[in-house]
Amino acid sequence: MAITFTVEKTAPDSRARLGKLLTPHGLIETPVFMPVGTQATVKTMTRHELEEAGASIILSNTYHLYLRPGSDLIGEAGGLHKFMNWPNPILTDSGGFQVFSLSKIRKITEEGVEFRSHLDGAKHFISPEKAMDIQMELGADIIMAFDECPPYPAEYEYVKQSKDLTCRWAQRCLDYHKRSDQALFGIVQGGMYKDLRKASAKELGDLNFPGYGIGGLSVGEPKDIMYEVLDDLIPEMPSHKPRYLMGVGSPDCLIEGVMRGVDMFDCVLPTRIARHGTVMTRSGNFTIRNKPFARDFLPIEEGCTCYTCQNYSRAYIRHLIKAKEVLGMRLTSIHNIAFLLRLMEDVRQAIREDRLVEFRNHFFSQYAG
Amino acid sequence: MAITFTVEKTAPDSRARLGKLLTPHGLIETPVFMPVGTQATVKTMTRHELEEAGASIILSNTYHLYLRPGSDLIGEAGGLHKFMNWPNPILTDSGGFQVFSLSKIRKITEEGVEFRSHLDGAKHFISPEKAMDIQMELGADIIMAFDECPPYPAEYEYVKQSKDLTCRWAQRCLDYHKRSDQALFGIVQGGMYKDLRKASAKELGDLNFPGYGIGGLSVGEPKDIMYEVLDDLIPEMPSHKPRYLMGVGSPDCLIEGVMRGVDMFDCVLPTRIARHGTVMTRSGNFTIRNKPFARDFLPIEEGCTCYTCQNYSRAYIRHLIKAKEVLGMRLTSIHNIAFLLRLMEDVRQAIREDRLVEFRNHFFSQYAG
C-alpha cells in the first residue's frame, strides 16, 4: 500500500475525526488543508516559506502541468517532487475539473474528453488511462481518478449519466494504474442529488480505493446545500479511508466540513484573494488595499506568528499592493496560507481535546465571513 | 558627523581602494553595490533574502516615495527603515534624475522643477529645499543633493549652465539640511565635458560634503567615454570622501569603476533583467526563457551559493518564467543580486590581497558580457 490511514480519534458529538496519513514522502496529520500549486508552484511561495507556514502536503494540477511544461519533462526531472523541490507529500488532481472549467470545445465520449488548450488552442484528448499516465509521470503520492464534474445546477438525468460515466472511468483508472508508490483515490460525484451521491459512494466503495475525493461541490451551490449533501453522503463512505472534499477552503466551510467527517481539503482561495489584497483573520476577511489601512502600522492580525505579521505592517503591505509590488502579494499569500494551516492545527487540537463544538461556536461568534 | 569613511588600503597599480563606511544603521565595506528598492522594496525580495544575498545597504527613490505612499506617511511610520523593515543602511537619491526621466511637462527654473506625476498627472514642484524636506522625512543614512541631470548627448553650453545650477542647488541643500544623523552627498555633473566635470568636482569639493555622487554617466554614452570621464574626474575629487557612481551596475562597469577609484554603485539592472528572465553569471548573462534550458536540470550557475542555485534548476525556473509565475522572477532576482554582491566581495578580497588587476584580467577572460 502506498499510503496508510489511521483514524486516531473520533469526536463524541460530531463526525469529526483526527487521523494520520502516512505517504511515501511523509506523514500528514488530518484534518488537513492542502495549499494549491497549480503550475508546480504555490503562487509566489518557496518550499521553505510553505514549510514555515506549516504546509505538510500540497496539491498540483495535472491539466496545467500536462500542457506546460509537459509531464514528460517533469518525469525527466525525476518527478514533480524533484522538479519543484518539494520533498514532502503531493496530491495531483486528475485534470477532469480543469478540462471542464478552463478548456474550450469539449467533446465527451465514453472513451474520454477532447478539448482545446486554454493556452494555445491546440487539441488534446484525455482518457482515464491518459490521466493515469500523466499522473504516474508526475509521481505524486496521491493521485485522483479521472472524473466528469457536472455543473450546478444540472438536470437529474444528466447528473445520473455523468455519475455512471465517472464510475466506469474510475474502474478503468484502477485497472490501468501501476505505481505501487502512489495511492489512487476515486471521486464521488452525483451533484446535489442525495440518491445519486449515495449510489456513487456505494459503487466506488465497492472498488476499494485507498481514499475518496468528494467532487462536484463548491461549484456555485449555497453552502447549506453543500452541508446537507455532506450530512447524507459521508455516512455512506468507507469509514477507514480518507475523505477529501475537493476545492473547498474558506474558514467556515473547513470547520463545517471537518464536523461532517471530512479529512482533507484544498482550495486556491487563500492565495487567490491574497494576490488581490484580501487577507484572512479570525474576525473575517478584509481588503488591505482599502484607505483605512493607509496609516495603520499594526500587523495584519495581532498575535499572528507568520513571517508577514512578524515583519511588516498593514500600511506597508497596502503600499506594496497599491504600487503593484510583488512583495505585497507575497506577504498576503504567506499570511493567508499560514492562517488557514494554523486554523486546521487548532481544529485538530480541539478534536484531540474533545472540544470541537465549543471551538466552532467560539470561532463563529467572532467570524464575520 | 553622520558617517565616517576610512580608506583602509589603496591598490598599488590602480586607483581602487578598500574602505569602511560607518553609518547610523551599520557598517558598509566598500567598494559596495547597492541594490535598488525604488518603491521601498527591492523588487520581489524581503529583508531577509537581501541580507542572505549579502546586501549591506540599499537605495530607495525619493521621487517615487514622495508620490506614493508619501513621505509624510513614511515619516509617521518612523521613517523608511521602520516602514520597510530594513534596519540596515539606506541611501535615498534626490529625485532629480526621476523628475527628468519619468515625469512629464517639466519646467526648470532657478527655484526648482515643476513636473507632472507619472502616476496621475498631478502637478508637483520640487526645489532643493523640498528635496531635503522629503529626504529628512524618509530618514535615510545617506541622502543626495537635488541636481539636474542633462541628457546625452547635450550641447556644451547647456551642460555648463546645468552644472552651475546643480552647484547652486547643492549649496541650498547644504544650507537647508538639518538632520545630523544623515550624510548629505553632493553630485558632480558636467556631462562628457572634462573641464566641466573638473570644475564641478572643484566647486562641490569646496562645499565640503561628506561624500560625492557622480551623476550623469551611464545615460546612453559608450562605456569607453564613461571610463575616460572617470579617469579624468576622480583625481579631482576629494580622496578621503566616498565616491558614488550613480546608476551603474553591470559586472564589467563595476570592476572598471572600482579600478578608477569608485567606492559605491547602484543600479536596477540586476533585478530588472531578472524579471524578464535574464540571469548573470561569470561567463556572461543568459536568458533562461530560451529553449535550450527547457530540460536543463543544472542550477543557474554551478558552484553558486545563492538560495536559488541551492534549491532550483534552470528547467524549473524557465517553466516558472514562461508560465508567468511570480516565483520565477523571485528566483532570478535573488540570484542576480547575490551574484553582484559576491562579485563585489571578490573585488574587495582582490584589493586586500593586491591582485585586483589579475582578478580583473581573469574575469574578463571568462566574461562574454
Side-chain angles (χ1 to χ4, degrees):
Chain A
M1 284 292 279
I3 60 163
T4 317
F5 181 62
T6 320
V7 176
E8 308 246 293
K9 184 182 175 77
T10 305
D13 45 7
S14 74
R15 295 211 176 94
R17 57 209 203 150
L18 203 63
K20 284 203 194 311
L21 177 58
L22 186 64
T23 77
H25 288 85
L27 183 72
I28 300 152
E29 295 191 59
T30 64
V32 68
F33 175 77
M34 303 182 283
V36 178
T38 300
Q39 304 193 100
T41 164
V42 175
K43 286 192 191 300
T44 81
M45 296 178 73
T46 62
R47 161 194 165 184
H48 296 100
E49 284 162 353
L50 283 164
E51 287 175 345
E52 194 186 323
S56 58
I57 173 170
I58 61 167
L59 177 145
S60 201
N61 291 112
T62 289
Y63 168 85
H64 290 87
L65 297 179
Y66 162 70
L67 292 179
R68 182 175 59 195
S71 49
D72 56 333
L73 187 154
I74 292 177
E76 202 178 312
L80 187 53
H81 295 87
K82 286 218 170 108
F83 180 63
M84 68 180 291
N85 188 33
W86 176 257
N88 310 304
I90 301 177
L91 182 150
T92 46
D93 65 5
S94 67
F97 182 76
Q98 280 75 26
V99 163
F100 295 106
S101 61
L102 290 180
S103 75
K104 292 179 190 109
I105 317 179
R106 299 171 295 266
K107 207 172 80 187
I108 309 171
T109 62
E110 184 67 31
E111 190 48 31
V113 185
E114 189 181 280
F115 63 95
R116 287 187 182 275
S117 161
H118 72 293
L119 297 175
D120 60 4
K123 210 183 273 184
H124 293 272
F125 181 78
I126 294 190
S127 62
E129 292 76 15
K130 177 84 182 173
M132 291 300 99
D133 275 333
I134 299 169
Q135 290 186 85
M136 286 190 283
E137 249 175 343
L138 297 175
D141 300 79
I142 300 173
I143 71 172
M144 303 302 292
F146 191 62
D147 63 330
E148 197 207 337
C149 181
Y152 173 84
E155 294 294 322
Y156 183 87
E157 203 45 42
Y158 176 80
V159 177
K160 182 177 186 309
Q161 286 178 20
S162 168
K163 180 229 31 147
D164 290 342
L165 181 66
T166 287
C167 190
R168 292 192 297 276
W169 283 358
Q171 177 71 63
R172 280 165 59 187
C173 288
L174 209 50
D175 293 344
Y176 191 84
H177 180 246
K178 294 169 199 72
R179 279 186 70 157
S180 60
D181 61 344
Q182 286 184 314
L184 169 62
F185 281 24
I187 301 179
V188 175
Q189 289 287 357
M192 309 307 152
Y193 302 104
K194 291 173 187 177
D195 63 322
L196 298 182
R197 284 281 172 186
K198 283 188 187 183
S200 179
K202 170 80 175 70
E203 289 154 14
L204 289 167
D206 290 345
L207 296 182
N208 199 24
F209 284 94
Y212 291 92
I214 302 168
L217 290 179
S218 196
V219 290
E221 79 282 6
K223 284 178 181 177
D224 283 347
I225 291 191
M226 177 173 85
Y227 298 152
E228 274 177 41
V229 170
L230 292 176
D231 281 333
D232 288 308
L233 168 64
I234 285 184
E236 310 293 321
M237 294 175 70
S239 64
H240 57 298
K241 306 275 179 77
R243 303 158 184 156
Y244 157 34
L245 179 55
M246 304 175 79
V248 168
S250 67
D252 51 340
C253 289
L254 290 178
I255 293 174
E256 294 295 345
V258 168
M259 298 277 296
R260 287 163 175 79
V262 175
D263 305 299
M264 305 164 70
F265 303 85
D266 81 284
C267 197
V268 296
L269 180 83
T271 42
R272 177 169 292 167
I273 65 176
R275 294 196 300 283
H276 296 102
T278 297
V279 292
M280 300 172 126
T281 75
R282 284 293 169 105
S283 49
N285 296 348
F286 68 83
T287 301
I288 205 161
R289 296 179 63 93
N290 291 348
K291 191 111 194 191
F293 304 109
R295 287 162 192 272
D296 183 337
F297 300 110
L298 294 174
I300 291 175
E301 187 166 31
E302 282 187 277
C304 176
T305 56
C306 85
Y307 179 80
T308 301
C309 289
Q310 292 300 306
N311 285 283
Y312 298 101
S313 70
R314 294 168 174 182
Y316 181 62
I317 297 166
R318 174 182 191 266
H319 160 64
L320 295 177
I321 299 267
K322 297 277 289 181
K324 298 187 174 59
E325 285 286 353
V326 160
L327 183 58
M329 58 173 90
R330 285 186 58 190
L331 296 177
T332 51
S333 297
I334 288 174
H335 172 80
N336 284 358
I337 288 292
F339 173 82
L340 278 193
L341 294 173
R342 198 176 48 241
L343 176 67
M344 295 307 277
E345 205 176 289
D346 292 345
V347 161
R348 292 193 298 270
Q349 189 62 22
I351 302 173
R352 198 172 287 122
E353 296 170 359
D354 283 344
R355 51 173 182 79
L356 182 63
V357 172
E358 184 193 326
F359 175 87
R360 169 185 173 276
N361 293 342
H362 180 69
F363 180 87
F364 282 104
S365 73
Q366 299 187 307
Y367 188 72
Chain B
M1 284 291 280
I3 61 164
T4 318
F5 181 62
T6 321
V7 177
E8 307 247 294
K9 185 181 172 77
T10 306
D13 46 6
S14 74
R15 294 210 177 94
R17 58 207 202 153
L18 203 63
K20 285 203 192 313
L21 178 56
L22 186 64
T23 78
H25 287 84
L27 184 71
I28 300 152
E29 294 190 60
T30 64
V32 67
F33 175 77
M34 304 182 282
V36 178
T38 300
Q39 304 193 100
T41 163
V42 175
K43 286 193 191 300
T44 82
M45 296 178 75
T46 62
R47 162 192 165 185
H48 296 100
E49 285 162 351
L50 283 164
E51 287 175 345
E52 193 186 322
S56 59
I57 173 171
I58 61 168
L59 178 145
S60 201
N61 290 114
T62 289
Y63 169 84
H64 290 86
L65 297 179
Y66 162 69
L67 292 180
R68 183 175 59 194
S71 49
D72 56 332
L73 188 154
I74 292 177
E76 202 178 312
L80 188 53
H81 295 88
K82 285 217 171 106
F83 180 63
M84 67 180 291
N85 187 32
W86 175 257
N88 311 303
I90 301 177
L91 182 151
T92 46
D93 65 5
S94 67
F97 183 75
Q98 280 75 25
V99 165
F100 295 107
S101 61
L102 290 180
S103 74
K104 291 178 190 110
I105 318 179
R106 300 172 295 266
K107 206 172 81 187
I108 309 170
T109 62
E110 184 67 30
E111 191 48 32
V113 185
E114 189 182 281
F115 63 95
R116 287 188 181 274
S117 160
H118 72 293
L119 297 176
D120 60 6
K123 210 182 272 185
H124 293 271
F125 180 77
I126 294 190
S127 62
E129 291 76 15
K130 176 87 181 169
M132 292 299 99
D133 276 331
I134 299 169
Q135 290 186 85
M136 285 191 283
E137 250 175 342
L138 297 176
D141 301 80
I142 300 172
I143 71 171
M144 304 301 293
F146 192 62
D147 62 331
E148 196 208 337
C149 181
Y152 173 84
E155 294 294 320
Y156 183 89
E157 202 46 41
Y158 175 81
V159 177
K160 181 176 187 310
Q161 286 179 18
S162 167
K163 181 231 25 150
D164 290 342
L165 181 66
T166 288
C167 190
R168 292 192 297 276
W169 283 358
Q171 177 72 64
R172 281 165 58 188
C173 288
L174 209 50
D175 293 344
Y176 191 83
H177 180 246
K178 294 169 200 70
R179 278 185 70 156
S180 61
D181 61 344
Q182 286 186 313
L184 169 63
F185 282 23
I187 301 180
V188 175
Q189 290 286 358
M192 308 306 152
Y193 302 104
K194 293 173 186 176
D195 63 321
L196 298 182
R197 284 280 171 185
K198 284 188 186 181
S200 178
K202 171 80 174 67
E203 290 154 13
L204 290 167
D206 289 347
L207 296 181
N208 199 24
F209 285 94
Y212 291 92
I214 302 168
L217 290 179
S218 197
V219 289
E221 79 283 8
K223 285 176 180 179
D224 282 347
I225 291 190
M226 177 173 84
Y227 298 151
E228 272 175 44
V229 170
L230 292 175
D231 281 332
D232 288 309
L233 167 63
I234 286 185
E236 309 294 321
M237 294 175 70
S239 63
H240 57 298
K241 305 274 180 76
R243 303 158 184 156
Y244 157 34
L245 179 54
M246 304 176 80
V248 168
S250 67
D252 51 338
C253 289
L254 291 178
I255 294 175
E256 293 295 345
V258 168
M259 298 277 296
R260 286 164 177 78
V262 175
D263 305 301
M264 304 164 70
F265 303 86
D266 81 284
C267 196
V268 296
L269 181 83
T271 42
R272 177 169 291 167
I273 65 176
R275 293 196 302 283
H276 296 101
T278 297
V279 291
M280 300 172 127
T281 75
R282 284 294 168 104
S283 48
N285 296 349
F286 69 83
T287 301
I288 206 162
R289 293 179 64 92
N290 291 346
K291 191 111 194 193
F293 304 110
R295 288 162 191 271
D296 185 337
F297 301 110
L298 294 174
I300 291 174
E301 186 165 33
E302 282 187 278
C304 177
T305 56
C306 84
Y307 179 80
T308 302
C309 289
Q310 293 299 305
N311 285 284
Y312 297 101
S313 69
R314 293 169 175 179
Y316 181 63
I317 297 165
R318 175 182 189 267
H319 160 64
L320 295 176
I321 299 266
K322 296 277 288 183
K324 298 188 175 56
E325 284 287 354
V326 160
L327 184 57
M329 59 174 89
R330 284 186 58 190
L331 296 177
T332 51
S333 297
I334 287 174
H335 172 81
N336 284 358
I337 289 292
F339 173 82
L340 277 193
L341 294 173
R342 200 176 47 240
L343 176 68
M344 295 307 276
E345 203 176 291
D346 292 345
V347 161
R348 291 193 298 270
Q349 189 63 20
I351 301 173
R352 198 171 287 121
E353 295 170 0
D354 283 345
R355 53 174 181 76
L356 180 64
V357 172
E358 186 194 324
F359 175 87
R360 168 186 175 275
N361 293 341
H362 180 69
F363 180 88
F364 282 104
S365 72
Q366 298 187 306
Y367 188 72

Short mmCIF file of all heavy atoms in Angstrom, two decimals, chain B residues 154-179:
data_model
loop_
_atom_site.label_atom_id
_atom_site.label_comp_id
_atom_site.label_asym_id
_atom_site.label_seq_id
_atom_site.Cartn_x
_atom_site.Cartn_y
_atom_site.Cartn_z
N ALA B 154 24.39 66.25 -25.12
CA ALA B 154 23.88 67.60 -24.86
C ALA B 154 24.98 68.61 -25.19
O ALA B 154 26.17 68.32 -25.06
CB ALA B 154 23.46 67.73 -23.40
N GLU B 155 24.54 69.80 -25.62
CA GLU B 155 25.48 70.86 -26.01
C GLU B 155 26.28 71.36 -24.80
O GLU B 155 25.77 71.39 -23.68
CB GLU B 155 24.69 72.06 -26.57
CG GLU B 155 23.98 71.80 -27.87
CD GLU B 155 24.95 71.54 -29.02
OE1 GLU B 155 25.99 72.23 -29.10
OE2 GLU B 155 24.68 70.63 -29.83
N TYR B 156 27.51 71.79 -25.09
CA TYR B 156 28.41 72.28 -24.04
C TYR B 156 27.75 73.37 -23.21
O TYR B 156 27.76 73.32 -21.98
CB TYR B 156 29.69 72.80 -24.68
CG TYR B 156 30.73 73.27 -23.67
CD1 TYR B 156 31.67 72.38 -23.16
CD2 TYR B 156 30.76 74.60 -23.24
CE1 TYR B 156 32.61 72.79 -22.23
CE2 TYR B 156 31.69 75.03 -22.31
CZ TYR B 156 32.62 74.12 -21.81
OH TYR B 156 33.54 74.53 -20.89
N GLU B 157 27.15 74.34 -23.88
CA GLU B 157 26.62 75.50 -23.17
C GLU B 157 25.50 75.08 -22.20
O GLU B 157 25.43 75.56 -21.07
CB GLU B 157 26.12 76.55 -24.17
CG GLU B 157 26.04 77.96 -23.62
CD GLU B 157 27.30 78.38 -22.82
OE1 GLU B 157 28.44 78.06 -23.25
OE2 GLU B 157 27.13 78.99 -21.75
N TYR B 158 24.65 74.13 -22.69
CA TYR B 158 23.56 73.66 -21.84
C TYR B 158 24.11 72.93 -20.62
O TYR B 158 23.68 73.16 -19.48
CB TYR B 158 22.63 72.73 -22.64
CG TYR B 158 21.55 72.10 -21.78
CD1 TYR B 158 20.40 72.82 -21.45
CD2 TYR B 158 21.70 70.81 -21.27
CE1 TYR B 158 19.43 72.27 -20.63
CE2 TYR B 158 20.73 70.25 -20.44
CZ TYR B 158 19.60 70.98 -20.13
OH TYR B 158 18.65 70.44 -19.32
N VAL B 159 25.09 72.05 -20.85
CA VAL B 159 25.66 71.26 -19.75
C VAL B 159 26.35 72.19 -18.75
O VAL B 159 26.27 71.98 -17.53
CB VAL B 159 26.63 70.19 -20.28
CG1 VAL B 159 27.27 69.42 -19.13
CG2 VAL B 159 25.90 69.22 -21.22
N LYS B 160 27.00 73.24 -19.25
CA LYS B 160 27.69 74.17 -18.36
C LYS B 160 26.68 74.88 -17.44
O LYS B 160 26.88 74.94 -16.22
CB LYS B 160 28.46 75.21 -19.18
CG LYS B 160 29.22 76.20 -18.31
CD LYS B 160 30.06 77.15 -19.13
CE LYS B 160 30.96 78.02 -18.24
NZ LYS B 160 30.22 78.66 -17.13
N GLN B 161 25.61 75.38 -18.06
CA GLN B 161 24.60 76.07 -17.24
C GLN B 161 23.95 75.13 -16.24
O GLN B 161 23.67 75.49 -15.10
CB GLN B 161 23.53 76.69 -18.14
CG GLN B 161 24.07 77.93 -18.87
CD GLN B 161 23.04 78.55 -19.81
OE1 GLN B 161 21.84 78.29 -19.68
NE2 GLN B 161 23.52 79.36 -20.74
N SER B 162 23.73 73.90 -16.69
CA SER B 162 23.12 72.90 -15.83
C SER B 162 24.03 72.57 -14.64
O SER B 162 23.59 72.46 -13.50
CB SER B 162 22.85 71.63 -16.66
OG SER B 162 22.54 70.56 -15.83
N LYS B 163 25.30 72.43 -14.95
CA LYS B 163 26.28 72.16 -13.89
C LYS B 163 26.32 73.30 -12.87
O LYS B 163 26.37 73.07 -11.65
CB LYS B 163 27.67 71.96 -14.52
CG LYS B 163 28.75 71.66 -13.53
CD LYS B 163 30.03 72.50 -13.56
CE LYS B 163 30.03 73.88 -14.10
NZ LYS B 163 31.01 74.81 -13.51
N ASP B 164 26.27 74.53 -13.38
CA ASP B 164 26.28 75.68 -12.46
C ASP B 164 25.02 75.70 -11.59
O ASP B 164 25.10 75.97 -10.39
CB ASP B 164 26.37 76.99 -13.27
CG ASP B 164 27.74 77.15 -13.92
OD1 ASP B 164 28.69 76.46 -13.49
OD2 ASP B 164 27.85 77.95 -14.87
N LEU B 165 23.87 75.37 -12.22
CA LEU B 165 22.61 75.32 -11.47
C LEU B 165 22.70 74.24 -10.38
O LEU B 165 22.34 74.47 -9.22
CB LEU B 165 21.45 75.03 -12.42
CG LEU B 165 20.05 74.97 -11.79
CD1 LEU B 165 19.63 76.33 -11.24
CD2 LEU B 165 19.01 74.47 -12.81
N THR B 166 23.18 73.06 -10.76
CA THR B 166 23.33 71.95 -9.81
C THR B 166 24.22 72.37 -8.64
O THR B 166 23.96 72.02 -7.48
CB THR B 166 23.91 70.72 -10.53
OG1 THR B 166 22.88 70.18 -11.37
CG2 THR B 166 24.36 69.64 -9.55
N CYS B 167 25.24 73.15 -8.94
CA CYS B 167 26.15 73.59 -7.89
C CYS B 167 25.45 74.58 -6.94
O CYS B 167 25.59 74.48 -5.72
CB CYS B 167 27.39 74.20 -8.52
SG CYS B 167 28.68 74.51 -7.32
N ARG B 168 24.67 75.52 -7.52
CA ARG B 168 23.94 76.45 -6.66
C ARG B 168 22.89 75.71 -5.83
O ARG B 168 22.69 76.00 -4.65
CB ARG B 168 23.26 77.54 -7.51
CG ARG B 168 24.25 78.51 -8.18
CD ARG B 168 23.56 79.74 -8.78
NE ARG B 168 22.61 79.44 -9.85
CZ ARG B 168 22.91 79.27 -11.14
NH1 ARG B 168 24.18 79.35 -11.55
NH2 ARG B 168 21.96 79.02 -12.04
N TRP B 169 22.25 74.72 -6.44
CA TRP B 169 21.26 73.92 -5.71
C TRP B 169 21.95 73.12 -4.58
O TRP B 169 21.37 72.94 -3.50
CB TRP B 169 20.55 72.95 -6.67
CG TRP B 169 19.48 73.60 -7.52
CD1 TRP B 169 19.10 74.90 -7.47
CD2 TRP B 169 18.67 72.96 -8.51
NE1 TRP B 169 18.10 75.13 -8.40
CE2 TRP B 169 17.82 73.95 -9.05
CE3 TRP B 169 18.59 71.68 -9.03
CZ2 TRP B 169 16.88 73.67 -10.06
CZ3 TRP B 169 17.66 71.38 -10.01
CH2 TRP B 169 16.82 72.38 -10.53
N ALA B 170 23.16 72.66 -4.85
CA ALA B 170 23.90 71.89 -3.83
C ALA B 170 24.13 72.76 -2.59
O ALA B 170 23.96 72.32 -1.45
CB ALA B 170 25.23 71.40 -4.40
N GLN B 171 24.50 74.02 -2.84
CA GLN B 171 24.71 74.96 -1.73
C GLN B 171 23.42 75.14 -0.93
O GLN B 171 23.43 75.13 0.30
CB GLN B 171 25.19 76.30 -2.30
CG GLN B 171 25.37 77.38 -1.24
CD GLN B 171 26.59 77.12 -0.35
OE1 GLN B 171 27.71 77.12 -0.83
NE2 GLN B 171 26.36 76.87 0.95
N ARG B 172 22.29 75.27 -1.67
CA ARG B 172 21.00 75.45 -0.98
C ARG B 172 20.62 74.21 -0.16
O ARG B 172 20.09 74.32 0.95
CB ARG B 172 19.89 75.77 -2.00
CG ARG B 172 19.93 77.25 -2.44
CD ARG B 172 19.08 77.51 -3.68
NE ARG B 172 17.69 77.13 -3.53
CZ ARG B 172 16.80 77.12 -4.55
NH1 ARG B 172 17.19 77.48 -5.77
NH2 ARG B 172 15.56 76.77 -4.34
N CYS B 173 20.92 73.04 -0.71
CA CYS B 173 20.65 71.79 0.04
C CYS B 173 21.45 71.78 1.34
O CYS B 173 20.92 71.47 2.42
CB CYS B 173 21.03 70.57 -0.80
SG CYS B 173 19.89 70.26 -2.17
N LEU B 174 22.72 72.13 1.21
CA LEU B 174 23.62 72.13 2.37
C LEU B 174 23.13 73.12 3.43
O LEU B 174 23.11 72.82 4.63
CB LEU B 174 25.01 72.54 1.87
CG LEU B 174 26.24 72.04 2.58
CD1 LEU B 174 26.23 70.55 2.80
CD2 LEU B 174 27.48 72.44 1.75
N ASP B 175 22.71 74.31 2.96
CA ASP B 175 22.22 75.33 3.89
C ASP B 175 20.95 74.88 4.61
O ASP B 175 20.73 75.22 5.77
CB ASP B 175 21.91 76.64 3.14
CG ASP B 175 23.17 77.29 2.59
OD1 ASP B 175 24.27 76.90 3.04
OD2 ASP B 175 23.05 78.14 1.69
N TYR B 176 20.12 74.12 3.90
CA TYR B 176 18.80 73.79 4.41
C TYR B 176 18.76 72.51 5.24
O TYR B 176 17.95 72.37 6.15
CB TYR B 176 17.81 73.68 3.24
CG TYR B 176 16.37 73.61 3.66
CD1 TYR B 176 15.65 74.77 3.95
CD2 TYR B 176 15.72 72.37 3.77
CE1 TYR B 176 14.32 74.70 4.33
CE2 TYR B 176 14.39 72.30 4.16
CZ TYR B 176 13.69 73.46 4.44
OH TYR B 176 12.38 73.40 4.82
N HIS B 177 19.64 71.58 4.92
CA HIS B 177 19.59 70.25 5.55
C HIS B 177 19.92 70.35 7.04
O HIS B 177 20.86 71.04 7.43
CB HIS B 177 20.58 69.30 4.87
CG HIS B 177 20.58 67.93 5.46
ND1 HIS B 177 21.67 67.41 6.13
CD2 HIS B 177 19.62 66.98 5.52
CE1 HIS B 177 21.37 66.19 6.57
NE2 HIS B 177 20.14 65.90 6.19
N LYS B 178 19.11 69.65 7.87
CA LYS B 178 19.24 69.82 9.32
C LYS B 178 19.54 68.55 10.10
O LYS B 178 19.89 68.63 11.26
CB LYS B 178 17.93 70.41 9.89
CG LYS B 178 17.60 71.81 9.43
CD LYS B 178 16.18 72.19 9.83
CE LYS B 178 15.64 73.35 9.00
NZ LYS B 178 15.38 73.00 7.57
N ARG B 179 19.35 67.38 9.52
CA ARG B 179 19.47 66.17 10.35
C ARG B 179 20.92 65.76 10.51
O ARG B 179 21.61 65.40 9.55
CB ARG B 179 18.68 65.01 9.73
CG ARG B 179 17.19 65.08 10.08
CD ARG B 179 16.44 63.86 9.57
NE ARG B 179 16.78 62.64 10.30
CZ ARG B 179 15.96 61.59 10.39
NH1 ARG B 179 14.78 61.61 9.79
NH2 ARG B 179 16.34 60.52 11.06
#
